[in-house]
Amino acid sequence: MGCDGGTIPKRHELVKGPKKVEKVDKDAELVAQWNYCTLSQEILRRPIVACELGRLYNKDAVIEFLLDKSAEKALGKAASHIKSIKNVTELKLSDNPAWEGDKGNTKGDKHDDLQRARFICPVVGLEMNGRHRFCFLRCCGCVFSERALKEIKAEVCHTCGAAFQEDDVIVLNGTKEDVDVLKARMEERRLRAKLEKKTKKPKAAESVSKPDVSEEAPGPSKVKTGKPEETSLDSREKKNNLAPKSAATNESFSGKAGKPLCGATKRSIADSEESEAYKSLFTTHSSAKRSKEESAHWVTHTSYCF
């Protein structure tokens, strides 16, 4: 039954025991979380965004995911909670001056220090490599270490001065407990936004249905209630009452001015009792009449050039 040629089998080759659980390298896991996009698995490059659960993405990858939702991707579950570009926040990161990147390792003979990070905390100076807890503010997108927020307690952002609350602080790449808390906050926030939209819709409908009273008159409008026959009779009576009044006012005005109303016979100014100086202003006066010799010459247009 085998074992030819002097081979001696060992116990682990003959007896199959339970398989050992493979342990994930913590350093490799931290590098994958803090240096690579959760959606596309590419190296993080600006602009970098973060979701409401504290995961890091490339903005280009998020836009492609939102535009191409029909494609079933293996990593699409990691961004299933992102419904629009408003659900992510663009991060304002501070560069690490000690980070050289791939500049010093062009030949491949240099050891890459995995503890060296591209970004640091602008307040304390801790490197964002996963060894320290980092968080960002939803209101402005500034990134700080959790130690900086605890040591310097303030309700204003340390970099841009924007006011924030406790709900605006989101932990980056947190533990399962942190993710559960952030998910509960996210659901509450979205429910609150839906309720606000529902309350705004009936208010907008009421404003449209109301008549535009302000356009008609600045004061309050008065609406008369009654039968249409009564209102028509009242309007006729008012017209009849106003007619004699208007006639009387016209007569008084004509008497004062001394001029006839339209439709009456016209009188010449020569027959009027005005002064001679006033009558001389008109062409009907005797001084304005000229003989044929004084009339205009056929060459000229005026009667004064003879």
Side-chain angles (χ1 to χ4, degrees):
M1 299 297 293
C3 297
D4 296 333
T7 57
I8 301 172
K10 295 181 181 179
R11 186 178 183 279
H12 71 274
E13 293 178 356
L14 300 174
V15 181
K16 294 182 179 179
K19 292 183 178 180
K20 294 182 179 179
V21 180
E22 295 181 357
K23 294 182 179 180
V24 181
D25 189 7
K26 291 184 179 180
D27 293 335
E29 188 179 4
L30 292 174
V31 170
Q33 287 181 349
W34 294 91
N35 294 337
Y36 291 88
C37 174
T38 308
L39 190 60
S40 63
Q41 297 299 314
E42 296 179 357
I43 296 175
L44 290 171
R45 58 183 181 276
R46 285 190 171 95
I48 300 171
V49 296
C51 65
E52 294 174 304
L53 301 181
R55 294 167 184 163
L56 299 174
Y57 307 89
N58 286 327
K59 193 173 184 179
D60 300 339
V62 174
I63 293 171
E64 290 177 3
F65 169 75
L66 294 173
L67 294 175
D68 190 16
K69 285 184 178 179
S70 61
E72 295 180 358
K73 299 178 181 179
L75 297 172
K77 296 179 180 179
S80 59
H81 60 284
I82 300 175
K83 305 299 181 182
S84 68
I85 198 67
K86 293 180 180 179
N87 298 139
V88 295
T89 306
E90 187 171 347
L91 301 181
K92 298 177 183 177
L93 298 163
S94 302
D95 294 325
N96 185 6
W99 187 75
E100 297 179 356
D102 297 334
K103 295 179 181 178
N105 194 13
T106 55
K107 296 180 180 180
D109 56 350
K110 189 177 179 181
H111 173 68
D112 292 332
D113 189 4
L114 298 177
Q115 301 301 322
R116 190 72 64 187
R118 292 171 56 190
F119 308 109
I120 60 172
C121 173
V123 180
V124 184
L126 295 175
E127 294 186 356
M128 199 172 75
N129 53 9
R131 300 292 178 183
H132 309 281
R133 288 168 63 89
F134 272 73
C135 52
F136 74 95
L137 305 179
R138 286 183 62 255
C139 56
C140 59
C142 296
V143 181
F144 305 99
S145 62
E146 196 174 36
R147 186 188 297 179
L149 292 177
K150 288 181 178 179
E151 290 181 358
I152 306 173
K153 294 182 179 180
E155 296 180 354
V156 178
C157 177
H158 302 310
T159 304
C160 62
F164 67 92
Q165 299 177 357
E166 291 183 2
D167 294 341
D168 296 331
V169 180
I170 296 177
V171 180
L172 290 171
N173 292 326
T175 59
K176 290 182 179 180
E177 296 176 356
D178 296 332
V179 173
D180 293 338
V181 173
L182 293 173
K183 189 178 287 186
R185 287 183 185 175
M186 178 183 69
E187 292 174 356
E188 290 179 2
R189 199 180 298 115
R190 291 184 180 180
L191 284 173
R192 201 183 307 130
K194 285 182 181 179
L195 292 173
E196 288 178 359
K197 284 184 180 179
K198 288 181 180 179
T199 53
K200 285 180 181 178
K201 283 182 180 179
K203 289 181 181 179
E206 289 177 2
S207 63
V208 171
S209 61
K210 286 181 181 179
D212 298 333
V213 180
S214 60
E215 293 181 0
E216 294 177 0
S221 61
K222 296 180 181 179
V223 181
K224 294 182 179 180
T225 58
K227 295 181 180 179
E229 295 178 357
E230 294 177 358
T231 55
S232 62
L233 290 171
D234 294 340
S235 61
R236 288 176 185 174
E237 290 177 0
K238 286 181 180 180
K239 287 181 181 178
N240 293 330
N241 293 332
L242 289 171
K245 288 182 181 180
S246 60
T249 52
N250 288 334
E251 288 176 1
S252 62
F253 180 76
S254 62
K256 287 181 182 179
K259 294 181 182 180
L261 295 170
C262 57
T265 57
K266 293 182 179 181
R267 294 185 301 169
S268 63
I269 296 172
D271 298 336
S272 63
E273 298 179 355
E274 301 292 339
S275 62
E276 291 294 329
Y278 179 74
K279 292 179 181 180
S280 62
L281 298 174
F282 301 93
T283 56
T284 56
H285 194 256
S286 60
S287 61
K289 296 179 180 179
R290 292 172 181 162
S291 60
K292 292 181 179 180
E293 295 177 355
E294 295 177 350
S295 60
H297 196 260
W298 66 274
V299 176
T300 61
H301 296 281
T302 59
S303 61
Y304 300 104
C305 300
F306 297 108

